[in-house]
Amino acid sequence: MGERCCAVVRVLVLQAAWALSGGQVRYSVPEEAKAGTVVGRLAQDLGLEAGEAEARRLRLVAQGRRASVEVSGASGALLVSSRLDREELCGKSAPCALRLEVLVERPLRVFHVQLEVTDINDNAPIFPAARKNLSIAELSLPGSRFPLEGASDADIGANAQLSYTLSPSEHFSLDLQKSSERNLVPDLVLTKSLDRETIPVHRLLLTASDGGRPSLTGTMELLISVLDANDNAPQFNQSVYKVKLPESAEVGTFVARVNATDADEGINGEVTFTATSFIPASGRDVISVNPNTGEIHLTAALDFEEVSIFNFRIEARDKGTPPLSGHCSVELEVLDVNDNAPEVWVTSLSVPVPEDASVGTVVALLSVSDRDSGANGRVRCWVWPASPFGLEATFAGSYSLVLREALDRERVSEYEVEVRAEDGGAPALRGRRGLRVAVSDVNDNAPAFAQAVYTVLARENNAAGAELARLWARDPDEAGNGRVSYSVWEGGVGGGWRPASSYVSVDAESGRLWALQPLDYEELQVLQFEVRAVDAGEPPLCGNATVQLFVLDENDNAPALLPPAGSAPEAGGVAGEAAAAAAAGSVSVSGTLWAWAAWGAPAGQVVAKIRAVDADSGYNAWLRYELWEPRGKGPFRVGLYSGEVSTARALEEADGPRQRLLIVVRDHGEPARSATATLSVSLVEAAEAALAAAAGSSSSSSSRSAAGAEMGAGAASAATNVWLVVAICAVSSLFLLAVVLYGASRWAPRAAVLSGPGPTTLVCASEVGSWSYSQRHSRSLCVADGAGKSDLMVFSPNFPPPPPGPAAKDTQPEPSALLDTVSGTALLASTLSLSLCPFSLIS
């Protein structure tokens, strides 16, 4: 009701003004007036009578835009036809006046009407946006101002006068500044330092109030984001990480994961990890850290024996500017695993060890260690094989290899010793160290020959320098102690009084036995001597061996005829020539031997006996006799092996007074050698033959030369008195010889040893012939108790040996002549009957 009164008053005022201004009508209407509201009585104000407005067709002329008013045709009043919005019609212009043209017909007249639309507080303040996002650095200082965009109010005047308020905040306040248009401009002022980590976003409400009645307000939300500043270093959740891993952990094993947080955001809160400050420095190769996740892995194998604890630091660094970092410590403890076998080291080795080293001698010093710890590092040691060495502990981890038994280099010259060690781990590990202990030689072994006695056979007439045998003595020692030199010991037994070294020599190095000169069986049959082997040790040791050198006979001597006692001087000359021929190895041609045979002697009567000797032995000295002349059926024959010349038939006077026989004596050697003898047999009466035999027997008992001469004279003269004397002497000699032989056989020992330096010539007579055996060494002639034999063995006397020289054999005394007559032989055979057992060589 009040508003209407006001409107009427305003119309009246306008009419009055219109009248004063020359007929221009002015009206005023508030905006937002309802449709139908009478703005003014236009017809009346124009001076029209009632009803005249309709008649004269009072109307508004359009001005290009809608005026939102109209003229009532009936009353002629100016009415509000539609909503009036001053802000729409005039904006911020003040005053807001609408110019209207009103037409009236009859007569046509134009009136100008000015309609002012007055403002009412119908618009609240409006901010440009319902939300305002602000970003403020966390490090902004208190007092910092941040301009805000103010609100706008479509109204004008007091209705558009705005005031601002800010929701309560301890960090922000509002400061209003007047602009040039005298509008207030709000500024946001920082009153307290920001901490993004505490309040990352501040939400405030800015309220704008206009000056209308009632006041209208508008709000805008301020969303203040605190821009992070890199003011927080990364923080680990633990200051120290302790990890335990066995040293057997494989490469790539996960160790631990460190965790660090940064209260900042964005790149200021992005953390990268690095490992630093490794103790020891080798940990850098063992540990790796993932820079993004902080995971720690092994990059190399662990070894407790090298490093048992790794200490290092992990740095967490953000990406801010400047970057901040935090640190933590990691302690990685490596747990021991029995992965190391005991190690045995030789710190000192005293080799070679003398074989006479005493028990307890230290051979080597050893050091034993195990890099593991605890039970894994406790070690026990022993020697394999135990004999002849052992271990003695000196102090922790040190041992001495000592000798437990005596050594013998000849039995074992080198020992392969193994020192074994075993730890206390589970499973236990073993270590070993091989030692080669050489045993040095000591001259504790004398040279020893393979045989105590060497039997060497050598043929006579060997070449000087010929090798007879090879001796070898073994000395198990080595080097100089085992280097053997050989020599002939002069204490040996040789032929005669000549030393063995004059016959043989032994090579000092090889032990080969050489002949210094050709050997002669007739001079030397057996040479026994000793060879000494001496080593080069200090002191030198020696060994001996006996060498028995048997000289084998060669058929190098022809048979030699023995001249009969009582033969003519020329007969002795012939015999000497035969011996010389035999020594020269040629057939000897003898002189004439004499024998007597009685006419009428029956067949088989032995007339004479050809005696010969061969200096060789054995078959080479086994002689056979052959009647060479006369050939055919003669009155005499010769025993093939006995040499006895006997009658082949009864002798007759027709056979003549004398028979000349040519007898060849041959040995059995290869090739055979021979000698010839000429026997002249005189055929006489039986009495003459007996006297000749008696004379021959007596002459054999006297000296050889005188008897031979007398025998030759007696045979030539054939005097009766001589025959009687010869017969008496012969009978006496035979009796004396019988007595001597009987006494010798009665009181002589059963076995006699005949020895002497000279050669012994054995002449054997048997049914199959005769042979001789010469020996310089001793012989044993045994007379057995067995049955007697008809063999007669006569030993020549032992003469002193001849002086050394090539003519030794020629100067030897000739053995006694043995030429028996038939009666003499029969007498001797009937006197003695000897039995011979085999004889042997004695040393």
Side-chain angles (χ1 to χ4, degrees):
M1 187 65 182
E3 291 181 356
R4 290 181 178 179
C5 290
C6 291
V8 172
V9 172
R10 289 175 184 169
V11 170
L12 292 178
V13 172
L14 288 173
Q15 289 178 352
W18 176 70
L20 292 175
S21 60
Q24 185 176 5
V25 180
R26 295 176 180 265
Y27 294 104
S28 176
V29 63
E31 63 175 333
E32 302 296 337
K34 295 183 179 179
T37 299
V38 177
V39 177
R41 296 183 182 279
L42 181 56
Q44 186 178 354
D45 292 336
L46 291 177
L48 297 178
E49 293 297 334
E52 187 179 7
E54 184 177 1
R56 296 185 65 178
R57 297 185 64 184
L58 179 63
R59 61 181 184 278
L60 292 177
V61 180
Q63 294 293 326
R65 62 178 178 174
R66 187 172 61 83
S68 301
V69 294
E70 65 182 358
V71 177
S72 173
S75 62
L78 186 61
L79 301 175
V80 176
S81 61
S82 61
R83 175 179 175 272
L84 287 174
D85 187 356
R86 191 200 68 80
E87 290 77 24
E88 181 181 354
L89 296 173
C90 299
K92 294 296 290 184
S93 298
C96 178
L98 301 177
R99 294 181 182 277
L100 304 175
E101 288 185 355
V102 179
L103 292 178
V104 179
E105 296 180 357
R106 303 187 198 112
L108 181 61
R109 291 186 63 183
V110 178
F111 297 95
H112 293 279
V113 178
Q114 185 175 5
L115 178 60
E116 180 182 0
V117 181
T118 60
D119 183 46
I120 65 171
N121 194 22
D122 60 345
N123 290 284
I126 299 175
F127 285 93
R131 177 182 294 174
K132 177 68 173 178
N133 293 323
L134 296 176
S135 296
I136 301 177
E138 184 179 9
L139 298 180
S140 298
L141 299 177
S144 300
R145 304 175 72 87
F146 306 95
L148 300 177
E149 188 175 358
S152 62
D153 195 326
D155 296 329
I156 59 174
N159 293 331
Q161 294 294 323
L162 301 180
S163 60
Y164 297 93
T165 57
L166 186 65
S167 60
S169 173
E170 62 175 338
H171 294 88
F172 295 97
S173 65
L174 195 63
D175 185 21
L176 301 178
Q177 300 290 332
K178 291 184 178 180
S179 66
S180 59
E181 298 179 356
R182 296 183 179 180
N183 290 328
L184 297 178
V185 177
D187 285 345
L188 189 64
V189 180
L190 180 63
T191 59
K192 184 180 179 181
S193 297
L194 298 176
D195 186 0
R196 191 204 66 79
E197 290 71 34
T198 304
I199 305 176
V201 177
H202 294 263
R203 295 179 182 274
L204 302 178
L205 187 63
L206 179 61
T207 302
S209 302
D210 58 20
R213 295 287 186 269
S215 177
L216 299 179
T217 60
T219 59
M220 180 177 63
E221 183 182 14
L222 297 178
L223 187 62
I224 302 173
S225 299
V226 180
L227 297 179
D228 184 45
N230 194 24
D231 57 345
N232 289 280
Q235 297 293 325
F236 287 93
N237 56 355
Q238 293 178 232
S239 60
V240 178
Y241 291 84
K242 293 186 177 181
V243 185
K244 295 182 179 181
L245 279 181
E247 62 175 326
S248 59
E250 297 180 354
V251 175
T253 300
F254 174 78
V255 178
R257 181 174 183 173
V258 295
N259 186 24
T261 57
D262 193 324
D264 297 326
E265 66 173 358
I267 61 174
N268 294 330
E270 293 181 6
V271 179
T272 57
F273 300 92
T274 56
T276 61
S277 304
F278 285 93
I279 301 176
S282 59
R284 193 178 306 275
D285 301 325
V286 177
I287 300 299
S288 68
V289 180
N290 189 307
N292 298 321
T293 63
E295 292 182 351
I296 303 174
H297 291 83
L298 291 180
T299 57
L302 299 175
D303 191 349
F304 172 84
E305 291 69 36
E306 291 186 1
V307 181
S308 59
I309 294 179
F310 290 95
N311 288 302
F312 56 95
R313 297 176 68 84
I314 300 294
E315 180 186 63
R317 182 186 295 269
D318 59 26
K319 297 181 180 180
T321 303
L324 300 179
S325 61
H327 299 83
C328 73
S329 297
V330 179
E331 182 180 289
L332 174 58
E333 181 179 356
V334 182
L335 302 179
D336 184 39
V337 175
N338 191 25
D339 59 342
N340 289 281
E343 295 179 343
V344 182
W345 301 97
V346 180
T347 57
S348 177
L349 182 61
S350 299
V351 292
V353 180
E355 62 177 323
D356 61 348
S358 60
V359 174
T361 299
V362 177
V363 177
L365 298 179
L366 306 169
S367 176
V368 181
S369 63
D370 193 319
R371 299 177 64 192
D372 296 322
S373 62
N376 297 333
R378 286 195 294 271
V379 180
R380 65 183 187 92
C381 301
W382 68 95
V383 176
W384 186 91
S387 178
F389 300 99
L391 282 181
E392 290 183 359
T394 54
F395 49 90
S398 295
Y399 296 86
S400 296
L401 183 68
V402 298
L403 191 61
R404 292 282 175 83
E405 299 177 5
L407 300 176
D408 186 0
R409 191 204 65 81
E410 289 71 37
R411 184 173 60 88
V412 181
S413 62
E414 188 175 76
Y415 290 89
E416 293 288 344
V417 179
E418 190 173 82
V419 179
R420 295 181 176 181
E422 182 180 77
D423 60 25
L429 299 179
R430 289 185 177 183
R432 62 191 64 191
R433 175 69 62 179
L435 296 177
R436 180 172 293 177
V437 181
V439 181
S440 62
D441 185 49
V442 174
N443 193 24
D444 56 347
N445 291 278
F449 285 92
Q451 300 173 224
V453 178
Y454 287 86
T455 300
V456 180
L457 303 179
R459 293 186 178 276
E460 65 173 331
N461 302 322
N462 59 293
E467 181 177 343
L468 302 179
R470 180 170 297 186
L471 309 180
W472 179 71
R474 178 180 179 271
D475 191 328
D477 296 326
E478 65 176 357
N481 295 332
R483 188 167 58 250
V484 179
S485 60
Y486 303 89
S487 62
V488 175
W489 187 37
E490 295 298 340
V493 178
W497 291 279
R498 296 178 63 184
S501 59
S502 64
Y503 293 100
V504 293
S505 175
V506 63
D507 187 270
E509 295 183 359
S510 65
R512 284 188 284 185
L513 189 65
W514 308 93
L516 295 179
Q517 62 183 14
L519 300 176
D520 187 359
Y521 174 84
E522 289 71 35
E523 177 189 350
L524 177 69
Q525 289 80 44
V526 177
L527 178 64
Q528 179 172 309
F529 57 93
E530 288 190 1
V531 174
R532 174 167 293 180
V534 182
D535 60 27
E538 185 61 38
L541 301 178
C542 64
N544 297 328
T546 299
V547 178
Q548 292 181 345
L549 176 61
F550 289 91
V551 181
L552 301 181
D553 184 45
E554 292 286 338
N555 193 23
D556 58 345
N557 290 283
L561 296 175
L562 298 178
S567 63
E570 58 269 19
V574 172
E577 292 175 2
S586 61
V587 178
S588 65
V589 180
S590 69
T592 302
L593 301 179
W594 297 92
W596 296 264
W599 285 321
Q605 178 70 48
V606 175
V607 176
K609 187 169 185 177
I610 304 301
R611 297 187 178 274
V613 66
D614 196 321
D616 297 323
S617 65
Y619 275 89
N620 296 329
W622 186 18
L623 304 179
R624 62 182 178 179
Y625 302 85
E626 298 176 3
L627 183 60
W628 192 257
E629 290 182 0
R631 293 180 179 261
K633 295 181 179 181
F636 297 98
R637 63 183 177 186
V638 179
L640 180 61
Y641 297 108
S642 63
E644 293 178 345
V645 180
S646 62
T647 57
R649 54 181 173 79
L651 297 178
E652 300 174 354
E653 292 184 1
D655 293 327
R658 179 174 298 178
Q659 290 286 331
R660 184 176 180 274
L661 306 179
L662 182 60
I663 299 171
V664 177
V665 183
R666 299 179 185 273
D667 59 25
H668 285 74
E670 288 293 337
R673 295 180 181 272
S674 64
T676 60
T678 301
L679 178 61
S680 179
V681 182
S682 298
L683 301 181
V684 295
E685 295 295 333
E688 295 180 357
L691 290 176
S697 298
S698 61
S699 64
S700 63
S701 301
S702 61
S703 65
R704 183 176 305 176
S705 59
E710 290 177 0
M711 190 64 185
S717 62
T720 303
N721 56 349
V722 176
W723 289 351
L724 293 176
V725 173
V726 171
I728 293 171
C729 292
V731 172
S732 300
S733 299
L734 289 176
F735 177 78
L736 181 61
L737 177 61
V739 172
V740 172
L741 292 177
Y742 176 79
S745 63
R746 179 66 178 84
W747 289 287
R750 301 292 290 177
V753 177
L754 304 180
S755 62
T760 301
T761 303
L762 174 63
V763 179
C764 300
S766 68
E767 297 175 351
V768 294
S770 63
W771 65 92
S772 64
Y773 185 80
S774 178
Q775 173 64 45
R776 287 190 180 272
H777 289 297
S778 302
R779 294 293 184 271
S780 175
L781 176 64
C782 301
V783 180
D785 294 334
K789 295 184 179 179
S790 60
D791 296 340
L792 174 64
M793 292 195 175
V794 180
F795 291 85
S796 65
N798 292 324
F799 296 97
K809 294 204 307 184
D810 297 337
T811 59
Q812 254 185 349
E814 295 182 358
S816 301
L818 298 177
L819 181 61
D820 295 338
T821 62
V822 176
S823 60
T825 302
L827 177 62
L828 187 58
S830 62
T831 305
L832 288 177
S833 177
L834 299 177
S835 297
L836 180 66
C837 71
F839 59 89
S840 61
L841 177 67
I842 62 172
S843 300

